[in-house]
Each structure stands twice: as structure tokens, then as C-alpha cells.
Amino acid sequence: MGNEFISQEIFKYKEKIDKRLEELTDVKTEHINTLVQSMRYSLLSDGKRIRPFLFLSIIDLYGLNSDDYIDIACSIEMIHTYSLIHDDLPAMDDDDMRRGRPTNHIVYGDDIAILAGDALLNYSFEIMLNFIYKNPNISNIKAVKKIANLAGINGMIGGQFLDVSSENKNISTEELDFIHKNKTSALITAPILSAGIICEVSNDEERHLSSFGYNIGMAFQIRDDILDILGSEELIGKKIGKDIEHHKNTFPKYYGLEKSEKICEEYIEKALEDIEKLTTSNKDFLKHVAYYLLNRKK
Ligand code: GRG
């Protein structure tokens, strides 16, 4: 399966996402202009928008109009962007480049970068609560609760915790899986599962969507680990080789490159099995997504 079809689909949604992110953060407020600039500097830079794309396209797959849910999609991207800003800080991964430009703290300083991340996180929940206020129903509440859960201690933050606290240590493969599952898969599963919840899919369908998110999320992170060794800095938009420099616990470190490629493919195969169990008639669309993530170069 080639990547051209899905790249065009991502682009279609990306245009809408970028436009709405720009509108949502176009706030003119006295005294805090630099803070807003710093939030927009990272948020409006050239991210792939994979998470909001997954959310909106799955809403469409189950027959609702994704345009009505664009604010939730943008909120998920804000959570993702805050995590990148904080992850790049000297106290965490200490990165100078992100999305092809200097990282937030390099431009604005650590103090403002921390606040920009905090502000994006809070703003995302303000926007989602505003959405629920205007569209009060139990599915919308359940969906936002799921996003909060997967972005928090039982998801992304929990995974990041084990990741930073196990640098320079040898960990078990079970711990390695825990890091990847939570640091990365959780915020890939969040848009997929919350879209299903909004569309009121069955419990079985939720289970299959969740498993699909987990499997493509694991593959996404293993591909990320591999790109950190073999990728092009120009395409990825950040320095490569940082994982080895920081003694990070990655799949290539534990399994070597060749086996990591194989494990990545196995997760994609499991994701394809999940797709077969779904009731959606457009299974090919999700298969294209899975292959796109397997073959991505950035
Ligand atoms: C600081 C709470 C906190 C969490 C940080 C996002 C993250 C967790 C760490 C960043 C480092 C990393 C390799 C994370 C894995 C997830 C990942 C591959 C993020 C990059 O996502 P992309 O490729 O980035 O979707 P763009 O820039 O395209 O949005």
C-alpha cells in the first residue's frame, strides 16, 4: 500500500486543523503577549497533526460530521504540543530543535516555555469543557474524560515518568513496553477511542479501537526510535542520535535495529487484525493509516 492516498487525506484534515488552531489562539491580551506568542510558536509550527487527524477521520468513518468536532481535535493537538515543549526542556530531553526550528525554551527561555506548556494544557481543557457546555451529552463527557485519563498519570505522564527516571539504567523489557505504551501509545489511542465514544460505538468496538490505538502507537514509537538512528535530520526536523547520547531505553538498544524493525511490523500486523474486527465499512482507510505509520520517514 503506497502512502500517497493517506498523505493527501492527512493534508485535507491538516488544513482545517491548522486554521482552527490559529483562530483558537488568536487572543489579544494585554501584558501576556509574549506568553501567547510562545504558545503559538510551538503550536502553529509544522507538526504532522497525526492525533487530530486520527480523531477527525474516525468521527467521519462512523458517520458523524467531523467539522462539528474540530475543537476537540485541536485540544488534543494542544496537549501533544505542551508535552513536546516540556519534553524538550533541559531538565528532560534537552533538545535544541523541534519541528525544524529552535525549541520553545531556546527562543523564549525555560521559564516561559514551562508556562507556555502549562497554558496549552489548561487551554485545551477549557476548550473541551466549553464544547461540552454547548453540546451537553454523556458521550461527549465520556470522551473528554478518556482524553484526560490517557494524557495523565495512567497514560502519557506516567510513561514519561518511567522514561526519565530510567535513563542510564537497565530496565526489563516489561518496563520498556510500559514506557512506550504510556508515553506514546496512550496519546495515539486517546483520539481514536474518544472519537469512537463520541460516535457511540458498542463496547466491543471500543475494545477493538483501543487495541488498534495501542498497536499503531507502539509501532509509531518504535519507528521513532529507529528514525533517531537512521532518519534524516532535515525531514524529522530535530537532531538525531539523541537517544544514544542520553542513554535512553529504546527498542534498538534492547533488540538491535533489525529485530526492532520486525517488532514494528508485528505491531502493524496486529493493528490490521484489529481493523478486521471493526464494523466500519471503510477498513481500507485505516489500513492505509497503519501502513503510513509503518513506513513514515518523519
Ligand atoms: C512532558 C508530560 C510530558 C510528556 C512527554 C511527547 C513526549 C512525552 C515526549 C517526546 C519524545 C517522544 C519521542 C515522544 C514519543 C511520542 C512522539 C514520537 C512524539 C512526536 O510526535 P510526532 O512525531 O510529532 O507526531 P509532530 O511534531 O509531528 O507533532
Side-chain angles (χ1 to χ4, degrees), residues 48 51 80 82-83 86-87 99 160 184 220-221 224:
K48 293 186 287 299
R51 296 154 190 81
H80 168 58
Y82 114 76
S83 80
H86 282 188
D87 186 68
R99 294 177 167 172
Q160 179 75 354
T184 305
F220 189 84
Q221 179 59 58
D224 211 70

Side-chain angles (χ1 to χ4, degrees), residues 168 225 228-229 240-250 252-253:
N168 297 312
D225 290 350
D228 191 67
I229 299 170
I240 64 166
K242 296 282 296 183
D243 290 341
I244 293 174
E245 196 183 302
H246 278 236
H247 307 284
K248 300 281 282 193
N249 289 302
T250 65
K253 175 180 165 187

Side-chain angles (χ1 to χ4, degrees), residues 103-163:
T103 41
N104 198 295
H105 65 275
I106 293 290
V107 178
Y108 293 95
D110 294 5
D111 46 3
I112 293 174
I114 291 169
L115 292 174
D118 293 343
L120 283 169
L121 176 59
N122 278 277
Y123 196 37
S124 75
F125 280 95
E126 184 180 337
I127 292 167
M128 289 194 282
L129 286 169
N130 209 16
F131 176 86
I132 291 174
Y133 182 75
K134 289 186 194 148
N135 307 277
N137 72 50
I138 198 72
S139 313
N140 291 341
I141 294 170
K142 269 174 65 183
V144 172
K145 183 167 172 256
K146 184 53 77 183
I147 294 166
N149 174 259
L150 289 169
I153 54 172
N154 293 309
M156 183 179 71
I157 295 179
Q160 179 75 354
F161 164 76
L162 193 60
D163 191 21

Side-chain angles (χ1 to χ4, degrees), residues 276-295:
E276 289 307 330
K277 295 179 196 146
L278 294 171
T279 60
T280 167
S281 54
N282 196 352
K283 294 189 169 64
D284 273 358
F285 183 88
L286 293 175
K287 288 182 193 166
H288 275 287
V289 171
Y291 281 113
Y292 167 82
L293 296 179
L294 174 67
N295 296 321

